[in-house]
Amino acid sequence: MLYMSGARSLAPWENPVSEHASAGHADDTAQGHGAPEGETRRDFIHIAAVAVTAGGAAAVAWPFIQQLGPAADTRAASSKDVDITKVPLGGEIRVLIGGMPFFIRHRTEEEIQAAQNVDVSRLRDPQTDDDRLVPKLDGTLNRAILVTSGSCTHLGCVPLGPSQGSVGEFGGWYCPCHGSYYDTSGRIRKGPAPLNLPVPEYEYLSDTVIKISL
Amino acid sequence: MSGQSTYEPKTGFTKWLDARMPIVRLAHDSFVDFPTPKNLNYWYTFGGILAVCLVIQIVTGVVLAMHYVASTDAAFASVERIMRDVEYGWLIRYIHSNGASMFFLAVYLHMFRGLYYGSYKEPRELLWILGMVIYFLMMATAFMGYVLPWGQMSYHGASVITNLLGAIPLVGEGIKTYLQGGPAIGDATLNRFFSLHYLLPFVIAGVVILHIWALHVTGNNNPTGVSVKNVKADTVPFTPYYTVKDGFAIILFLIMFAVFVFYFPNVLGHADNYIEANPLQTPTHIVPEWYLLPFYAILRAVTFDIGPIEAKLLGVIAMFGSILVLFALPWLDTSKVRSMRYRPLAQQCFLGFVIACVVLGFAGANNPDDLVFKFGADKLAMSYTDANGGAAVRTFTEFAEANSFLATLPSSAAGALEVSASGFKWLWVAQIAGAYYFAFFFILLPLLGVIEKPKARPASIADSVHGKKKTTAAAVAATSPGPQTTGSLKPAE
């Protein structure tokens, strides 16, 4: 009440104590903070306002976070059909799907035998060779064709394989980054990598075409 | 407005921080305990709204730049990819494109406020000039941003504007080539526009800080134009009074913004810009975005030479002059009275000025040769090649007359008939409104300060508030304790 006499009567919604508290800066000590009985309505408004603001902020943040994720066209490009008849016997082809490397290997009879004859219980990541294959449409396994991810499970390097002329001690792949050795089923046999080369999600569309998905 | 700071750090951390970098004190003195005239109305909320607009444009712009490709081959497709494939890309791009319009809408209302209440006058000349620098940077940023989607309007709009600079004598062609980075708008232009479009908003943010700094030295103007004389009686602290008032206005503004984004996202744009740029085909009707239309109208209004200066160059001078004149405004207005509330003649002249600006906007949107309204009946105009091989035109009122005249002509005359209407051209509208625009600054404002007799002004802000009979919000505020600060406002009036 600075220059008016302070005679104006307060409307029912006005709270003299909290109004002083919010407007008073230098004279907090003189006015004190509001008495507890007068604070309910204003507290309700404050809490409601903060709640609405927080809800609005979250609603605005959502699209701005979502836009960082893969776009619809990126997601649509996350599978590829591969003609396996193009893979030479004893060799492999490498495909990129959404920037991720995959190996499709046409194994020789010796390589299949080597993969089948391993004592699974002694492996770091135990898996039989048949576990790492996907049946054809008629339900039988095509053991000649092995499909694996092309990134080493250690730190994501792309291992060398038959096309680079370096298959390592176990006849499969050799990762030159930190010396991980994979066998002809893509299983880890030696070196720092903890897991086998993962088998991606894929299916036989026919006897000669497979569809690999991310 | 550097009074003694009332900030008292309470916790150990804030005391530690305050002794090393008093950033909390700065914020407190600038936005909490900042003495603000108690009679500010809603016209004064656009400063806060503009700050919000700038933040929205920067945030959405940074996100769009993550998905945009600045290349003539890929730009258009990348924008369509944002619209179709990027998660919520449509929303973010629509916020950004409509945000530009909202930004200009708010800045025009902010400038209107400043003009009406004389906020550019002593001691706020520099504050006004900094505002004009921001406005100029905004126009440059908006222009370059409009080029980025690489639509038909982007390409040909940029082509028209950069070619304008070629009209400047001696250096024009050089400037144009260095701006375009080649013989025409192309990859080089698109990349430098993208780079500058990303840079300039941060320059704007820097000038905004200077703008607020200058504001906080002189303090706010107010609707009466009367300076603060008694900080206790005339002002209230910025928080909570104006944070709440600004906050409320920001919410209303954002609701209107959202209506555009969600229901009319393309109403302020041009359909032509959804066609990929084709340098071989110009759209029939090139127009800039609405917020630049008045200046475009002034550019096209100059169709006559003055002495040795050709019309094209004169149009460029008039267009840039119409912006630059705003920088000189504090010295063109000779009146000692700030607020037009107390200037009856200036009020009317200013109303005319606002109308002229809006009319210029419409004139800019229309083809200069199109007619606002017709006078007289339509006529038939026959154009043909006369006996001497020159072009000739003859008008008729009846088709039969024209037809019989055509029969007398040899076939080599190649007579062609079209309807010719006479009426009031948009060009003339632009010329009249443009003339008023300049007359307002160069004739009316200097003259009014001398001949006008202002109305009586209140002795102080407090008097103007309490002179009212009704209990207004400001009067309620007045009954609560005012700030205890000792601001160092120097009364100028």
Side-chain angles (χ1 to χ4, degrees):
Chain A
M1 317 304 158
L2 289 163
Y3 39 84
M4 294 191 78
S5 59
R8 191 180 68 83
S9 60
L10 292 169
W13 61 84
E14 289 180 87
N15 179 329
V17 179
S18 359
E19 197 160 68
H20 284 182
S22 56
H25 8 93
D27 58 353
D28 267 357
T29 45
Q31 302 288 344
H33 286 285
E37 71 269 17
E39 291 190 334
T40 326
R41 284 164 189 267
R42 185 151 291 191
D43 285 352
F44 174 77
I45 292 170
H46 284 165
I47 292 165
V50 169
V52 168
T53 309
V60 170
W62 180 253
F64 283 87
I65 294 165
Q66 283 298 100
Q67 58 86 19
L68 292 168
D73 60 338
T74 310
R75 294 197 304 270
S78 62
S79 71
K80 194 174 258 180
D81 294 353
V82 180
D83 182 353
I84 53 177
T85 61
K86 296 286 195 293
V87 190
L89 180 66
E92 65 174 352
I93 60 170
R94 300 179 161 205
V95 295
L96 278 179
I97 303 174
M100 302 271 290
F102 292 93
F103 299 152
I104 298 131
R105 184 146 172 180
H106 192 169
R107 299 187 291 185
T108 61
E109 203 53 48
E110 296 77 52
E111 286 172 339
I112 297 170
Q113 285 309 318
Q116 297 279 339
N117 292 339
V118 170
D119 179 2
V120 174
S121 62
R122 297 180 63 187
L123 292 177
R124 185 178 299 169
D125 181 10
Q127 253 184 331
T128 65
D129 188 48
D130 285 358
D131 284 347
R132 297 174 54 76
L133 299 170
V134 167
K136 293 193 287 187
L137 289 172
D138 60 10
T140 60
L141 289 175
N142 181 4
R143 293 201 173 85
I145 295 295
L146 177 75
V147 183
T148 70
S149 156
S151 60
C152 179
T153 58
H154 179 222
L155 291 171
C157 295
V158 181
L160 302 175
S163 26
Q164 285 82 21
S166 176
V167 292
E169 286 174 30
F170 298 89
W173 289 271
Y174 166 66
C175 183
C177 292
H178 304 93
S180 291
Y181 292 83
Y182 296 92
D183 67 14
T184 52
S185 190
R187 293 172 294 202
I188 181 64
R189 300 296 288 273
K190 189 175 151 189
L195 296 169
N196 303 334
L197 291 176
V199 176
E201 205 175 289
Y202 74 97
E203 59 179 329
Y204 279 87
L205 299 179
S206 70
D207 278 355
T208 56
V209 178
I210 58 170
K211 181 195 182 86
I212 307 174
S213 311
L214 282 180
Chain B
M1 188 103 71
S2 48
Q4 281 171 11
S5 179
T6 59
Y7 174 66
E8 280 177 33
K10 292 195 176 70
T11 68
F13 173 70
T14 48
K15 280 177 189 156
W16 183 91
L17 185 65
D18 197 53
R20 286 157 181 81
M21 185 179 66
I23 189 166
V24 183
R25 179 181 299 275
L26 178 68
H28 182 269
D29 295 346
S30 304
F31 304 111
V32 179
D33 196 9
F34 179 69
T36 314
K38 60 173 57 165
N39 59 341
L40 300 189
N41 53 28
Y42 275 100
W43 288 105
Y44 283 80
T45 59
F46 287 101
I49 287 170
L50 284 163
V52 171
C53 286
L54 180 60
V55 170
I56 289 174
Q57 289 306 89
I58 288 179
V59 170
T60 53
V62 166
V63 167
L64 289 172
M66 295 176 188
H67 302 286
Y68 174 74
V69 183
S71 138
T72 51
D73 292 329
F76 187 83
S78 76
V79 172
E80 283 308 303
R81 181 175 175 272
I82 289 169
M83 294 301 289
R84 294 159 192 238
D85 287 342
V86 174
E87 292 286 302
Y88 292 99
W90 59 273
L91 176 63
I92 293 162
R93 177 165 174 263
Y94 276 153
I95 292 174
H96 195 74
S97 59
N98 284 280
S101 285
M102 295 302 119
F103 207 157
F104 275 94
L105 176 66
V107 93
Y108 284 133
L109 294 171
H110 192 64
M111 287 164 71
F112 172 86
R113 190 284 319 273
L115 287 165
Y116 188 75
Y117 294 132
S119 302
Y120 49 85
K121 291 191 194 186
E122 196 268 322
R124 298 186 181 83
E125 302 95 325
L126 189 62
L127 175 60
W128 172 263
I129 287 171
L130 287 167
M132 286 304 109
V133 170
I134 294 169
Y135 175 52
F136 193 77
L137 289 171
M138 276 174 65
M139 289 197 284
T141 309
F143 164 68
M144 287 189 274
Y146 196 57
V147 178
L148 303 186
W150 207 243
Q152 275 287 66
M153 216 48 114
S154 300
Y155 180 89
H156 294 282
S159 183
V160 166
I161 299 298
T162 50
N163 275 322
L164 278 180
L165 299 170
I168 299 169
L170 303 174
V171 294
E173 278 301 319
I175 291 174
K176 187 184 119 185
T177 307
Y178 275 89
L179 194 67
Q180 293 182 339
I185 304 279
D187 251 326
T189 328
L190 183 60
N191 276 282
R192 65 191 57 183
F193 277 19
F194 180 51
S195 169
L196 292 173
H197 183 73
Y198 203 113
L199 167 71
L200 287 184
F202 297 96
V203 177
I204 292 176
V207 185
V208 165
I209 289 170
L210 298 182
H211 190 66
I212 296 172
W213 185 10
L215 170 71
H216 284 210
V217 171
T218 62
N220 287 76
N221 185 30
N222 67 86
T224 65
V226 177
S227 295
V228 171
K229 285 165 183 151
N230 178 337
V231 172
K232 274 189 189 177
D234 292 343
T235 71
V236 289
F238 190 82
T239 301
Y241 294 100
Y242 290 111
T243 36
V244 169
K245 190 167 187 159
D246 281 3
F248 182 62
I250 286 167
I251 289 168
L252 294 183
F253 190 82
L254 289 180
I255 290 171
M256 182 202 65
F257 193 154
V259 167
F260 274 100
V261 168
F262 290 104
Y263 296 97
F264 310 100
N266 288 307
V267 79
L268 297 169
H270 301 286
D272 276 315
N273 225 30
Y274 282 103
I275 303 168
E276 189 167 3
N278 178 357
L280 292 174
Q281 190 179 36
T282 304
T284 47
H285 192 195
I286 301 179
V287 279
E289 292 280 82
W290 68 268
Y291 39 80
L292 300 177
L293 285 173
F295 302 106
Y296 191 55
I298 288 175
L299 169 77
R300 294 191 301 185
V302 185
T303 51
F304 43 84
D305 303 346
I306 295 182
I309 309 173
E310 286 184 8
K312 184 181 173 189
L313 175 59
L314 212 55
V316 177
I317 293 171
M319 184 181 75
F320 283 107
S322 63
I323 301 164
L324 290 175
V325 67
L326 292 164
F327 286 80
L329 176 62
W331 296 277
L332 290 172
D333 185 350
T334 53
S335 174
K336 294 275 184 289
V337 179
R338 288 205 190 100
S339 175
M340 287 196 194
R341 211 179 245 192
Y342 309 106
R343 300 181 61 193
L345 282 178
Q347 235 174 24
Q348 290 172 17
C349 294
F350 181 60
L351 177 67
F353 173 76
V354 173
I355 292 170
C357 290
V358 174
V359 167
L360 278 171
F362 281 97
N366 281 282
N367 191 332
D369 289 328
D370 283 353
L371 304 179
V372 186
F373 55 84
K374 287 184 190 176
F375 33 68
D378 291 351
K379 285 186 174 156
L380 291 167
M382 171 86 72
S383 48
Y384 61 97
T385 312
D386 64 18
N388 304 323
V393 177
R394 221 163 132 165
T395 54
F396 306 90
T397 48
E398 295 294 332
F399 177 70
E401 291 174 36
N403 214 18
S404 58
F405 175 73
L406 185 63
T408 66
L409 288 175
S411 60
S412 62
L417 199 59
E418 62 177 10
V419 177
S420 147
S422 57
F424 204 82
K425 288 181 177 180
W426 276 108
L427 173 67
W428 304 342
V429 172
Q431 287 173 340
I432 293 167
Y436 186 85
Y437 182 99
F438 285 104
F440 177 75
F441 288 113
F442 289 114
I443 300 170
L444 294 176
L445 279 181
L447 196 64
L448 282 171
V450 182
I451 63 167
E452 185 179 45
K453 188 178 185 305
K455 289 196 270 192
R457 280 158 285 150
S460 71
I461 294 170
D463 281 4
S464 82
V465 172
H466 301 300
K468 291 174 184 171
K469 280 171 190 160
K470 284 179 188 168
T471 307
T472 61
V476 171
T479 59
S480 62
Q484 305 293 311
T485 52
T486 52
S488 63
L489 271 178
K490 293 190 186 81
E493 273 189 83

